[in-house]
Amino acid sequence: MLDGAEVATHNTRKSCWIIIHGKVYDVTDFLDEHPGGPSIILKFAGRDATEDYARIHPPKMVVEGIAIEKHLGPVDPKTIIATIPSTDKATGQTAPTLPLGMCIDLDDIETAGRNVVSEKALTYISSAADNLHALENNLSDWSRIIFRPRVLRDVSNVDITSSILGVQCTLPFFIAPTGLVGLTHPDASTRSREETMKCMIEEQSKLPRSLQGVSHIFFQLYVNSNTEITKTIILEAKQLGYRGLFITVDTPVSGKRNADSRLRAREELMSGEMARPTLPPPEPDEDKPGVEKLRLQAATTLSKTLNWSDLSWIRETWEGPIVLKGIQRWEDARQAVEMGVEGIYLSNHGGRQLHSAPSSLNTLMEIRAFCPEILGRCEIYLDGGIRRGGDIVKAICLGARAVGIGRPFLYAIGAYGVDGLVKAVSVLDDEMRITMRLLGATTLSELRPEM
């Protein structure tokens, strides 16, 4: 068993040891390979990095990502040098000043969340590609659609139940896939992929028997550059009983997110690790640290060769319903349907990928204008900028089966934990029912484009 005092002597770039979950790792050779750059690791050189590590990474990632010969063994907990405070402090007060009961809409919840979550969490949640043009369009485009209500109708009973790929849902919206949830709240999950997948299936087993016949869980897939790794992940989801496979198709590389880059650059500057600017080589330099290294590593993990022909082996491996997530133009929507997918998910990744990407609402309107025949041939989901129940109603009127909501739920859990999530869902439920009654509709099937 290693002594904490010995670990503390390895606190430089030339020899960097860190402690994670009671075990010591020599990460010297990994510093420039770290997607977030070396500076964040060097802050914890010779010390216990568990608190900051656990907020972002699942427990097994360090075990799998560091060469086995660099696993130095357990450390005597009594000898660990006192850890430095977490580098990821709250942006303002540690608890929301606005009581949850005073939150009337998702804007109130976002305001509370922005004042509570850490700077790193806020930067991640609020950032988007380049100058935020795509994100701003996501938010503003919904106001361009107006309602045309019918009056003198019996709207005493409103039913907003729906279905996704044959699975009955009490609400026509869902929590959109989001990353780094552990940054927003200490109770958010940082389990490994396998543990998370199994946990979700176990939770489903607790549902009433009448709801246990078909899986209510769907799996989002990022296609890895290594086909065999992708197949392994698909087979794991299949074995555990996931109902549908949502394939992310808009991330051959990660988009340029200026706010994330500025935060990382500041951390590098404070640690003395900021690299001098150089002209880029014809091809990405694999030895270049920092932001360019981050984008390069993301590119080597995410498949840059993913194309329409890959759907054949993915479907053969999966043998179940497939949805393509990240459709942004009507031509791709039509081709997806022609390829036989069960659903398309209109999304520009929350405005985080392509600068000036079209909003999902814009893409939906394109579909209605140029290939309306596909509306009845597959299910359509979308996300991006939805902040009110009325926005959900607009999406369904125009042909969406259900919508995803991301950032508001992150702010909700960041400010209020699980209670915040419940409140956010309740707000949207109430707003949807009010909107439908004022429109003169009592079921989702009555929501039509002419409304």
Side-chain angles (χ1 to χ4, degrees), residues 140 288 340 342 348 360:
S140 63
K288 185 175 182 179
E342 284 72 21
N348 61 19
S360 59

Side-chain angles (χ1 to χ4, degrees), residues 187-252:
D187 293 334
S189 174
T190 53
R191 293 184 173 95
S192 67
R193 184 184 74 244
E194 295 88 347
E195 291 171 329
T196 300
M197 292 165 71
K198 291 177 181 177
C199 176
M200 294 177 76
I201 295 298
E202 289 169 359
E203 287 299 313
Q204 177 164 310
S205 69
K206 300 175 184 178
L207 293 170
R209 290 186 179 274
S210 61
L211 298 179
Q212 290 184 19
V214 179
S215 173
H216 287 60
I217 307 296
F218 304 93
F219 187 78
Q220 183 195 17
L221 174 71
Y222 280 89
V223 177
N224 195 283
S225 55
N226 185 319
T227 300
E228 293 307 311
I229 291 177
T230 302
K231 288 183 176 179
T232 298
I233 295 171
I234 293 173
L235 290 173
E236 286 177 356
K238 178 180 176 181
Q239 183 179 11
L240 288 169
Y242 280 75
R243 177 71 179 92
L245 188 68
F246 284 54
I247 305 172
T248 304
V249 295
D250 61 349
T251 55

Side-chain angles (χ1 to χ4, degrees), residues 113-126:
R114 282 177 172 272
N115 290 329
V116 173
V117 299
S118 67
E119 180 184 17
K120 184 177 293 184
L122 181 59
T123 300
Y124 177 79
I125 297 171
S126 62

Side-chain angles (χ1 to χ4, degrees), residues 215-368:
S215 173
H216 287 60
I217 307 296
F218 304 93
F219 187 78
Q220 183 195 17
L221 174 71
Y222 280 89
V223 177
N224 195 283
S225 55
N226 185 319
T227 300
E228 293 307 311
I229 291 177
T230 302
K231 288 183 176 179
T232 298
I233 295 171
I234 293 173
L235 290 173
E236 286 177 356
K238 178 180 176 181
Q239 183 179 11
L240 288 169
Y242 280 75
R243 177 71 179 92
L245 188 68
F246 284 54
I247 305 172
T248 304
V249 295
D250 61 349
T251 55
V253 295
S254 294
K256 181 186 178 185
R257 301 160 191 170
N258 290 349
D260 291 335
S261 298
R262 289 190 184 97
L263 177 61
R264 192 176 300 110
R266 193 173 78 234
E267 291 175 343
E268 291 177 355
L269 179 63
M270 293 175 64
S271 68
E273 287 294 320
M274 179 166 284
R276 296 184 63 183
T278 58
L279 291 175
E283 294 295 327
D285 184 355
E286 294 190 5
D287 295 324
K288 185 175 182 179
V291 175
E292 291 302 318
K293 182 70 174 182
L294 172 65
R295 286 202 287 270
L296 173 64
Q297 289 201 334
T300 58
T301 300
L302 301 168
S303 174
K304 292 193 291 185
T305 64
L306 180 65
N307 60 78
W308 294 102
S309 64
D310 290 313
L311 293 181
S312 59
W313 65 260
I314 292 176
R315 184 176 289 282
E316 182 179 348
T317 306
W318 172 243
E319 298 181 318
I322 287 177
V323 175
L324 299 188
K325 179 182 182 292
I327 299 296
Q328 297 170 73
R329 57 186 296 163
W330 69 268
E331 295 94 335
D332 285 341
R334 184 173 63 183
Q335 185 165 354
V337 173
E338 291 174 349
M339 294 287 290
V341 301
E342 284 72 21
I344 56 174
Y345 190 145
L346 313 182
S347 174
N348 61 19
H349 221 93
R352 298 168 63 81
Q353 284 293 94
L354 176 65
H355 169 61
S356 295
S359 68
S360 59
L361 176 59
N362 185 85
T363 306
L364 181 58
M365 297 301 288
E366 272 195 5
I367 292 172
R368 296 201 64 84

